[in-house]
Amino acid sequence: MSKKILVLPGDGIGPEIVVEALKVIKRLQDDFGLDVELQSGLIGGCAYDAKGQPLPEETLLLAKEADAILLGAVGGYKWESLDISVRPEKGLLGLRSGLELFSNLRPAILYPQLASASTLKADVVSGLDIMIVRELTGGIYFGQPRGIKTLDNGERQGFNTLVYSESEIRRIARSAFEIAMKRDKRVCSVDKANVLECTELWREVVTDAVSDYPEIELTHMYVDNAAMQLVKAPKQFDVMVTTNMFGDILSDCAAMLTGSIGMLPSASLDANGKGMYEPIHGSAPDLAGKNEANPLATILSVSMMLRYSLGETKMADRIDSAVNQVLDDGIRTYDIFTGGLTKVSTSQMGDAVTAAL
Ligand code: IPM
Ligand code: MG
């Protein structure tokens, strides 16, 4: 039976990068027997414009029925003044929590061909291969109470709550350990246990959970130090596991080690391996419609989808080799362009990868 993929292009550059990923999927269907059925839906600002909601009920239903979801990006200036409850980002967060996609994998891999595109020295980043495992459905992003209230003295006060239960910490820790078992078996858990009780518990539970994984070498690091170490000596890390907000911040930082945030895919998985796949960059409204964005993060997200949710390892490898081939050939979108190579548009990059398949 063919697997169902729900495609949610979203806003900004989302639609144009997703089109390139779809070319890749089509090629795999036509020439390599990939058996998938595609559906599409609305999410984010475009969904708000059409339906008054950033996550329409029918999108959530389609997402629940799908075996995997491919998402472009959400958000843009146009919707920034909306009430926070209907902003495009709420659509994405609603999908993450509605599907219980608690485990967010953000690999930061430096393609050797791009060593000179990083703002860091080539010897600091060459060979870099980090997996950031970000908790995605809890923490301060979802904690209650939250809001903005007016105090008795008339001054307004904003507040959010950082909250994690033991079971939430344990499942993300186990997720990180499972991934590390297939890699170098080293996990660094990132917290702020010196200040925040919530992450004091985090450290305790992660430490307890590792007893089921005797081969894993577990270390702990405060988030401020982790940010510093990521730019100072990033190759010390294998797998990093952390909270929703710390993971949001550290993964952008790690992305830049690889030359461009336009290169980084991600997977957001539930307890059964069902997942949503998206580039970690946002909707980049300034670039939208210019045919300049880098579609590789989205194309590599398709590769992660094939690997993690659809059990199609060979096809995933095929995409990864095609991307390598294109980079070997010196083909670059502007964000990874360095002199002497061939600068191409979004659609030309998609065509190049499709041809290399
Ligand atoms: C990300 C993004 C999202 C987040 C936004 C768009 C809500 O920055 O996926 O990293 O903060 O999680
Ligand atoms: Mg982010």
Side-chain angles (χ1 to χ4, degrees):
M1 211 178 62
S2 49
K3 300 267 176 70
K4 280 192 206 158
I5 302 178
L6 176 65
V7 181
L8 302 173
D11 309 316
I13 57 170
E16 54 203 277
I17 52 178
V18 164
V19 162
E20 303 313 312
L22 292 178
K23 284 182 189 166
V24 168
I25 293 177
K26 174 132 198 339
R27 181 68 187 266
L28 292 175
Q29 286 175 303
D30 290 351
D31 293 355
F32 302 100
L34 176 64
D35 189 12
V36 293
E37 198 181 296
L38 302 178
Q39 287 177 305
S40 63
L42 295 173
I43 190 160
C46 61
Y48 175 81
D49 289 347
K51 309 272 178 188
Q53 287 295 332
L55 177 59
E57 192 62 29
E58 62 248 47
T59 300
L60 186 58
L61 280 176
L62 285 173
K64 285 186 172 160
E65 281 165 13
D67 295 294
I69 300 148
L70 179 66
L71 184 131
V74 298
Y77 308 126
K78 184 178 169 194
W79 303 284
E80 270 173 10
S81 58
L82 289 177
D83 186 81
I84 196 164
S85 64
V86 288
R87 271 192 224 148
E89 291 77 6
K90 273 284 175 199
L92 179 57
L93 296 178
L95 209 46
R96 288 173 179 173
S97 76
L99 299 177
E100 283 201 69
L101 305 172
F102 68 91
S103 179
N104 183 212
L105 316 185
R106 300 192 159 191
I109 296 170
L110 180 83
Y111 285 82
Q113 304 93 324
L114 299 184
S116 60
S118 177
T119 46
L120 274 81
K121 292 194 190 98
D123 63 306
V124 174
V125 291
S126 69
L128 184 86
D129 181 358
I130 302 176
M131 178 67 91
I132 296 186
V133 180
R134 168 187 177 193
E135 199 292 324
L136 203 60
T137 52
I140 199 164
Y141 270 52
F142 293 95
Q144 295 288 348
R146 62 191 296 154
I148 301 173
K149 66 181 176 194
T150 304
L151 301 174
D152 290 344
N153 68 4
E155 187 187 18
R156 287 186 308 152
Q157 188 182 59
F159 54 101
N160 288 90
T161 306
L162 173 61
V163 52
Y164 272 114
S165 62
E166 288 182 274
S167 56
E168 285 178 297
I169 302 168
R170 194 172 297 275
R171 70 176 178 178
I172 192 67
R174 293 185 67 94
S175 195
F177 298 149
E178 291 292 336
I179 285 158
M181 285 304 290
K182 297 186 194 127
R183 300 172 44 106
D184 201 32
K185 303 189 174 68
R186 292 183 294 116
V187 175
C188 177
S189 170
V190 178
D191 61 41
K192 189 70 186 173
N194 52 343
V195 178
L196 304 172
E197 289 84 348
C198 181
T199 66
E200 193 185 336
L201 180 69
W202 175 281
R203 187 175 282 217
E204 210 177 280
V205 174
V206 172
T207 305
D208 185 61
V210 83
S211 57
D212 291 337
Y213 297 83
E215 289 176 61
I216 297 282
E217 180 195 315
L218 174 68
T219 53
H220 303 274
M221 199 177 271
Y222 297 139
V223 64
D224 48 352
N225 186 24
M228 183 172 77
Q229 294 300 329
L230 266 179
V231 284
K232 186 179 171 208
K235 283 187 274 182
Q236 69 185 281
F237 298 111
D238 176 27
V239 174
M240 301 175 92
V241 61
T242 191
T243 65
N244 203 340
M245 189 159 78
F246 293 164
D248 179 45
I249 299 166
L250 293 179
S251 61
D252 269 29
C253 180
M256 281 320 289
L257 305 173
T258 71
S260 168
I261 197 166
M263 292 299 298
L264 261 67
S266 77
S268 307
L269 304 173
D270 75 1
N272 306 311
K274 170 170 169 166
M276 175 157 80
Y277 298 82
E278 51 176 317
I280 83 152
H281 59 70
S283 59
D286 290 334
L287 275 185
K290 292 190 176 159
N291 198 21
E292 279 179 14
N294 185 348
L296 290 180
T298 315
I299 290 171
L300 291 168
S301 297
V302 174
S303 159
M304 288 190 90
M305 172 188 292
L306 292 165
R307 208 179 286 288
Y308 288 95
S309 287
L310 305 182
E312 297 283 1
T313 314
K314 285 211 179 95
M315 300 223 199
D317 290 344
R318 195 175 278 283
I319 295 182
D320 295 351
S321 327
V323 168
N324 256 303
Q325 179 65 54
V326 162
L327 294 176
D328 280 344
D329 292 345
I331 297 171
R332 303 279 190 274
T333 40
Y334 87 97
D335 57 312
I336 48 175
F337 179 77
T338 40
L341 300 167
T342 312
K343 197 190 271 183
V344 298
S345 66
T346 309
S347 52
Q348 286 169 327
M349 181 58 104
D351 290 342
V353 175
T354 310
L357 281 171

